[in-house]
Every structure is written in structure tokens, then in C-alpha cells.
Amino acid sequence: MAILVLFREKCGLSSCSTRYLLAMASGDLMFIIIEIVLWQLRFYYYPQCFLKLTPVCSVVSAFREAAVDLSVWFTVMFTFDRFVAICSHKLKATYCTNKTAVTVLATTTILFCFKNVPVYFKFEPRKIIDNVPWGCYVKKDYITDPRWRGFAVFSMVLTPMIPITLILILNALIFRRILMGSRARNSFKDQNKGDKEIDPEIESRKTTIILLFSISISFVILWSLYVLYLLKVIKPLLDVADHYTFLSVAYMLRNLSCCTNTFIYVVVQPKFREELKRMLKYPFTLIASYLD
């Protein structure tokens, strides 16, 4: 529904912002399809289906990694776009355009798809039945080979370490710039008017601060347990059962983070809610028109 609403471009957003939000919504949908439908449901409810064939589950695993990377980095790209729009008026005219957004998103997608190609080759069959390989078992070389270990570290740094750092820094700079602008505007307003009337631009800045702050907190909190798991700082403190529970919760929150970005960015927009209500009412309105 978010993709359809954004595609209509009637939410009062710029074409540039709409492109990023469309990419985020599409990335979230891709993650849900791959992680939930093709992986989780298959693992728990259809363990013997064709998705367990080694070539198939290897491809799905590669796409899982790519979907997480894209969901995270689309958020980073959009945050950087808003940073440029708010903090650099000179660069805004050339960077915050529809063409640049499409180029950035396409390049990001291609690079992360290529980055996750090696994931396909880290698995071997769990068993072979009638010359057909079944299951995906991580090769022993993935643990011992320096090249695979280097790839694992590179993947961990690329997602989520760098994105978390960038989002915190960019949002801090945006927050600082908005506060400076608000103070200067309030000072100018006091010198010229001295009244307490509501300034629409100040209210807009407050909305932007709340939106960006919500994104930062949500992203960092939902990824924090998974980061602790990657850094292996919790494992020595827990027994096997507790560590498994911790890992399950960490994955759940990480997966949730990959599904909530669109709602945090878009649902707060009144025009988006209006368009969503209009789309939900449209089938009933159409049926009512035929009945009349």
C-alpha cells in the first residue's frame, strides 16, 4: 500500500524524496518476502520443499543478505539526502534531484547485489539423495580460511557498523543546523515583532527534528542487540539457553528494523494518510457507484 500511495506522488513530497521512500518501501517488501516467506516459513513449516535444495537455498541466502544491506543503506542514502537539503544549500540544487536519486539508488542496488555474490559459495550440501544436493551447510573453510573471515568482517563493518555511525553523525549535524536556524530566526523575530505568534517554518523544523530523531533512535535500538551479538560481548556472560534466546530476540529486532523505516518516514505525513484512506475506500466507492 505504501508503494502504491507513493507511486501516485500525491503526498506533498518532492520527487527526489519520493524516489528514496519508494526504494525504502520496495526494499522492506523484498526483505519481508525473502526473509519471512522464502526462509522463515520454509524453515518452520515446509522443511522438505524445493527451497531446501542446496542451489536454491544458497541463492535465497545471498538475497537475504542483499535485502538487509539494501534496507539499511537506502535509509542511509535518504538521511544523507535530507542532510544535504538542510545543511548545504549550494549542493542541494545539484544533488537533491530526481536524476541523482535514481542514480544513487541504482548504484547502491547493483553494488550490494555484487557484494553478496560470494554468499552463494559459502554453503555445501548437508546430504545428497539420488545425486540431488539438499540443505545448506556452511563450509568449514568459511570459519578457517582468512579470505572468508575477511569477507565476514567486511560484511559486518559495512552493515551495520558504518550505517549506524553515519546515521548518528548525519542526524546530529542536521539537528545542530536546525537548532541554529531556529535560534537565529527567533532572535530576528523578537527584534522585529516581539510577539508569540506561531511561525509555520519553526513548526516545520520541529516536525523534521522529531522525525529524524525517531529514525535514529529506532534504528539504533532495533540494531543494538544484533551489534552486541556480532561483537560477541554478550556470549561469555550467558549460558547456552540464554544465548540462544538473546540471539533470537536480536534477529527479531533486526528484522523489525528492516520493516519499519517506511512507516516512520511516511505515516507521519498527513497527506499520505489521506491518500491511504482514499485508496482503502476506493473499492467500496466503486462498488457503491455500480449499485447505484
Side-chain angles (χ1 to χ4, degrees), residues 81-96 177-178 181 201 205:
D81 177 80
R82 293 301 86 202
F83 165 76
V84 172
I86 295 174
C87 300
S88 179
H89 294 292
K90 293 182 179 179
L91 188 58
K92 177 181 177 180
T94 56
Y95 184 84
C96 299
R177 180 59 179 266
I178 290 176
E201 185 167 340
R205 288 177 182 271

Side-chain angles (χ1 to χ4, degrees), residues 186-211:
N186 284 334
S187 177
F188 179 80
K189 177 182 172 182
D190 292 339
Q191 292 176 5
N192 289 272
K193 294 183 180 181
D195 55 17
K196 299 295 183 179
E197 66 180 10
I198 297 176
D199 190 330
E201 185 167 340
I202 295 296
E203 294 301 314
S204 176
R205 288 177 182 271
K206 289 180 180 178
T207 302
T208 303
I209 292 174
I210 294 172
L211 179 61

Side-chain angles (χ1 to χ4, degrees), residues 1-291:
M1 292 299 295
I3 292 172
L4 292 176
V5 171
L6 291 169
F7 186 76
R8 288 165 56 86
E9 296 188 0
K10 293 184 178 181
C11 297
L13 301 169
S14 66
S15 179
C16 177
S17 295
T18 301
R19 293 295 178 273
Y20 284 105
L21 292 171
L22 272 171
M24 292 168 60
S26 301
D28 292 346
L29 179 61
M30 180 177 69
F31 176 82
I32 292 172
I33 293 173
I34 295 173
E35 175 68 23
I36 305 302
V37 178
L38 299 182
W39 191 263
Q40 298 289 349
L41 292 182
R42 185 274 305 173
F43 181 82
Y44 289 107
Y45 299 104
Y46 307 100
Q48 300 303 322
C49 71
F50 75 97
L51 291 172
K52 199 174 181 181
L53 293 171
T54 302
V56 177
C57 68
S58 297
V59 170
V60 173
S61 296
F63 277 114
R64 283 179 72 209
E65 298 293 331
V68 173
D69 288 339
L70 291 177
S71 179
V72 170
W73 279 93
F74 283 162
T75 304
V76 175
M77 294 298 103
F78 181 51
T79 305
F80 182 75
D81 177 80
R82 293 301 86 202
F83 165 76
V84 172
I86 295 174
C87 300
S88 179
H89 294 292
K90 293 182 179 179
L91 188 58
K92 177 181 177 180
T94 56
Y95 184 84
C96 299
T97 63
N98 186 32
K99 182 178 179 180
T100 301
V102 172
T103 302
V104 169
L105 292 170
T107 303
T108 302
T109 301
I110 293 171
L111 289 177
F112 278 103
C113 285
F114 277 112
K115 173 258 178 185
N116 287 289
V117 168
V119 175
Y120 176 86
F121 300 99
K122 79 175 186 180
F123 297 104
E124 61 184 8
R126 283 185 176 273
K127 55 186 176 181
I128 298 178
I129 303 176
D130 295 331
N131 294 323
V132 178
W134 289 89
C136 284
Y137 186 77
V138 178
K139 297 177 180 177
K140 293 181 180 179
D141 291 346
Y142 186 76
I143 307 298
T144 58
D145 193 314
R147 292 170 296 182
W148 278 118
R149 294 177 66 181
F151 176 76
V153 172
F154 171 72
S155 298
M156 180 183 68
V157 172
L158 198 60
T159 304
M161 301 304 180
I162 292 178
I164 287 178
T165 304
L166 287 177
I167 285 179
L168 288 175
I169 292 175
L170 291 174
N171 279 279
L173 293 174
I174 292 171
F175 184 80
R176 177 175 174 270
R177 180 59 179 266
I178 290 176
L179 281 182
M180 291 175 60
S182 297
R183 289 173 181 173
R185 190 174 180 84
N186 284 334
S187 177
F188 179 80
K189 177 182 172 182
D190 292 339
Q191 292 176 5
N192 289 272
K193 294 183 180 181
D195 55 17
K196 299 295 183 179
E197 66 180 10
I198 297 176
D199 190 330
E201 185 167 340
I202 295 296
E203 294 301 314
S204 176
R205 288 177 182 271
K206 289 180 180 178
T207 302
T208 303
I209 292 174
I210 294 172
L211 179 61
L212 293 172
F213 187 73
S214 299
I215 287 296
S216 301
I217 294 298
S218 172
F219 185 86
V220 173
I221 290 178
L222 293 178
W223 274 90
S224 59
L225 293 185
Y226 189 74
V227 170
L228 293 177
Y229 159 71
L230 292 177
L231 296 177
K232 299 181 180 180
V233 297
I234 296 296
K235 188 174 182 179
L237 306 176
L238 303 175
D239 57 29
V240 176
D242 290 338
H243 183 260
Y244 178 79
T245 302
F246 176 84
L247 179 58
S248 299
V249 174
Y251 268 103
M252 180 189 69
L253 294 178
R254 187 206 70 169
N255 292 346
L256 183 62
S257 174
C258 295
C259 302
T260 58
N261 292 331
T262 301
F263 295 97
I264 297 174
Y265 274 116
V266 180
V267 172
V268 295
Q269 300 290 333
K271 290 187 178 181
F272 176 84
R273 293 195 294 270
E274 293 174 6
E275 284 296 311
L276 182 60
K277 291 177 182 178
R278 188 175 293 112
M279 290 187 65
L280 291 174
K281 292 178 180 178
Y282 178 75
F284 302 100
T285 305
L286 187 63
I287 294 174
S289 64
Y290 279 115
L291 293 177

